[in-house]
Amino acid sequence: LDGVTGVQTCALPISWQLSTMLEGGLSITTALDIIAEDTENLQLRHILQRTLGKVSEGKLLSDGLSDFPHVFNRLALAIVIAGETSGDLGQALRTLAEYFDSRDRIAKKVRSAVAYPIFVLSLITAIVIGVMTLIVPRFQMIFAQIGGKLPAFTRVFMGFYSLLCQNLLYVVIVVAGLVFGSVALAKTKGGHRLLSQAVLRLPLFGKLFSEAFIAMFCRTIATLLEAGVPVLETFEILRGMSTNDVIVSAIARVKQHVMGGSNVALGMTAAGFFPNMVVKMAQVGEESGSLPAILRKTSDHYERKITAT
């Protein structure tokens, strides 16, 4: 989806623990110290201790977290800064934790959906290789001894096996060439965009990936706007949340329209990527002044669609 799992691994539990302790009346330094002592992860303990050191020197929590962008990404920092500005850091961290929970839930659904067919295809491949290398050669010897005319399907299968054995080296070279060619193509600008388009056009899975992004897109905007993050910064954060060129271009077009004085719904229409329902919901949200709430409901709807798909 965009590699956010690595961020969630440490940021999610820290966000929940800090929000709970701050809302319970503990100071930020005490909360950081307690979490650092309790954690068994040495890397996470190091992060918390360094952050605690900066906070003890009088700096803000966001200043300490900004030293670890691989754990606390730009979105997390934006929400923390907004919480520090509003004076309600505990609530901001709770919002962040709930957001990470939601993203983790969507990512797990997509990973589960993709993992099953990959497992089945891998199993089928292993079975076919086993049949080709262990069983077919023995049957060839048996059929050669028996003689007579074999069924058409058996003859075709044996012919395919013989052809494959005779040209195995060429098959390996072609497959390796396709793999290395695809990797090289993905590193070029045009090739990366071509592959991005191909991924979104995959039967069933392209729709699944698109719906997963739209669900996270709506929830991210809702979370950031509710936290008090400016609209333009929100879209800049969104651009860094995907490596798919089609999606990044669509977000960039929406941002350009917003910078030009247009509203979010018109920008989404111009981008040509977002479904009509999402555009209409954004339009209703902007007209009623409740864009975050409307987009959160839209995200819930698309989460249900992902589960059904």
Side-chain angles (χ1 to χ4, degrees):
L1 288 169
D2 58 358
V4 76
T5 306
V7 174
Q8 292 175 336
T9 301
C10 291
L12 177 57
I14 292 175
S15 300
W16 276 123
Q17 289 173 300
L18 280 176
S19 66
T20 302
M21 292 183 182
L22 292 179
E23 290 176 345
L26 295 179
S27 66
I28 183 66
T29 52
T30 303
L32 287 171
D33 188 41
I34 292 172
I35 299 172
E37 286 183 3
D38 289 345
T39 185
E40 296 179 359
N41 187 310
L42 295 179
Q43 183 183 7
L44 180 55
R45 182 178 299 173
H46 172 69
I47 290 170
L48 290 168
Q49 287 173 343
R50 281 191 56 181
T51 303
L52 174 60
K54 281 202 170 186
V55 174
S56 300
E57 293 172 0
K59 295 182 179 180
L60 296 174
L61 176 63
S62 56
D63 294 327
L65 300 181
S66 62
D67 291 339
F68 308 98
H70 60 291
V71 177
F72 293 91
N73 60 8
R74 189 170 179 179
L75 179 144
L77 286 176
I79 293 178
V80 171
I81 291 171
E84 290 170 338
T85 304
S86 66
D88 195 352
L89 183 57
Q91 179 56 43
L93 288 167
R94 179 170 294 278
T95 299
L96 181 61
E98 290 172 351
Y99 171 79
F100 279 147
D101 258 346
S102 174
R103 289 197 60 168
D104 187 47
R105 186 169 61 249
I106 296 173
K108 283 181 179 177
K109 288 177 183 177
V110 175
R111 281 197 298 269
S112 298
V114 174
Y116 180 71
I118 290 176
F119 169 76
V120 171
L121 289 173
S122 300
L123 184 61
I124 290 172
T125 302
I127 291 172
V128 170
I129 291 173
V131 169
M132 289 290 191
T133 56
L134 301 176
I135 299 176
V136 173
R138 296 183 182 182
F139 271 91
Q140 276 187 320
M141 295 173 59
I142 294 172
F143 290 150
Q145 293 172 358
I146 293 174
K149 190 175 181 180
L150 298 172
F153 178 81
T154 306
R155 293 199 307 271
V156 171
F157 188 81
M158 292 299 185
F160 172 74
Y161 172 76
S162 299
L163 184 66
L164 187 64
C165 288
Q166 294 168 7
N167 300 279
L168 184 60
L169 179 61
Y170 298 107
V171 172
V172 172
I173 292 173
V174 170
V175 171
L178 288 173
V179 171
F180 285 112
S182 299
V183 172
L185 183 66
K187 292 181 179 179
T188 64
K189 186 175 181 180
H192 193 276
R193 183 168 184 84
L194 189 65
L195 289 174
S196 296
Q197 293 171 341
V199 167
L200 295 177
R201 290 174 182 171
L202 286 172
L204 184 63
F205 290 103
K207 179 183 178 183
L208 185 67
F209 295 148
S210 297
E211 289 178 348
F213 168 74
I214 290 168
M216 289 190 291
F217 173 86
C218 294
R219 192 168 296 278
T220 301
I221 294 180
T223 301
L224 290 171
L225 292 181
E226 285 176 344
V229 179
V231 176
L232 292 180
E233 186 178 350
T234 294
F235 280 99
E236 192 60 35
I237 291 171
L238 282 164
R239 284 185 63 182
M241 289 176 57
S242 177
T243 56
N244 187 292
D245 289 346
V246 177
I247 292 174
V248 172
S249 297
I251 296 172
R253 290 198 66 181
V254 178
K255 183 185 176 184
Q256 287 176 354
H257 277 76
V258 173
M259 289 176 65
S262 181
N263 57 32
V264 173
L266 288 176
M268 292 169 69
T269 302
F273 173 80
F274 299 94
N276 189 50
M277 175 194 166
V278 180
V279 175
K280 293 297 183 184
M281 293 295 281
Q283 183 179 353
V284 170
E286 289 180 308
E287 290 174 354
S288 63
S290 57
L291 181 61
I294 294 293
L295 288 180
R296 193 174 292 280
K297 290 180 180 178
T298 306
S299 178
D300 292 338
H301 168 74
Y302 272 91
E303 281 194 46
R304 288 191 292 270
K305 284 192 69 175
I306 291 167
T307 303
T309 301

